[in-house]
Amino acid sequence: MKCCQFTAAMLREGVTFQRKSRTRNATGGFTEAWATLKATHASVKALSGSERYASDRVEATARYRIVVRYFSDLTEEDRVLIRGRVYQIRFINNVEFADRWLQIDLDAGMAT
């Protein structure tokens, strides 16, 4: 997609980007928790969904694509919260390397 195809009016859904952080606990070990990296608005589009039968249960998965204004601190190890639901980041595209928009592919229903 081209940068000029995106507009601020498309950014209707609130999203929160989170990063896993490790803090030392009192016993000398570490506690892992998800800390907010950035809260912003995005355009959200469903791409596909499927179900599969594995280990005597049905597993549903879905793929989404979101578009947000560019920021440089995001990696595929981070995650996204949309309406309280967790999505794993699979691909981050800096559209046309213009540092204006990020197009991010997400998976839902996958192991965190």
Side-chain angles (χ1 to χ4, degrees):
M1 297 193 103
K2 300 185 117 197
C3 276
C4 59
Q5 291 178 324
F6 304 119
T7 64
M10 297 171 61
L11 310 179
R12 296 185 187 131
E13 189 69 45
V15 298
T16 302
F17 293 95
Q18 294 183 325
R19 176 165 291 158
K20 191 181 289 188
S21 63
R22 291 178 50 167
T23 55
R24 188 173 297 274
N25 61 24
T27 61
F30 289 95
T31 302
E32 291 185 347
W34 290 93
T36 297
L37 181 63
K38 182 176 181 87
T40 188
H41 285 83
S43 168
V44 180
K45 179 181 178 183
L47 297 179
S48 65
S50 64
E51 291 181 342
R52 70 180 183 130
Y53 186 75
S55 302
D56 293 329
R57 64 184 182 158
V58 176
E59 295 178 349
T61 60
R63 175 145 299 171
Y64 293 84
R65 178 168 291 153
I66 66 172
V67 176
V68 297
R69 291 186 187 276
Y70 177 84
F71 67 102
S72 62
D73 202 22
L74 192 63
T75 70
E76 283 84 0
E77 295 172 0
D78 299 329
R79 71 182 191 180
V80 180
L81 282 177
I82 304 171
R83 295 185 180 185
R85 217 169 148 202
V86 175
Y87 298 85
Q88 301 305 310
I89 298 174
R90 295 298 171 218
F91 178 69
I92 302 168
N93 178 21
N94 178 3
V95 179
E96 295 181 351
F97 292 102
D99 294 347
R100 292 183 63 205
W101 300 100
L102 292 177
Q103 191 174 24
I104 304 166
D105 289 346
L106 307 173
D107 284 339
M110 305 298 286
T112 59

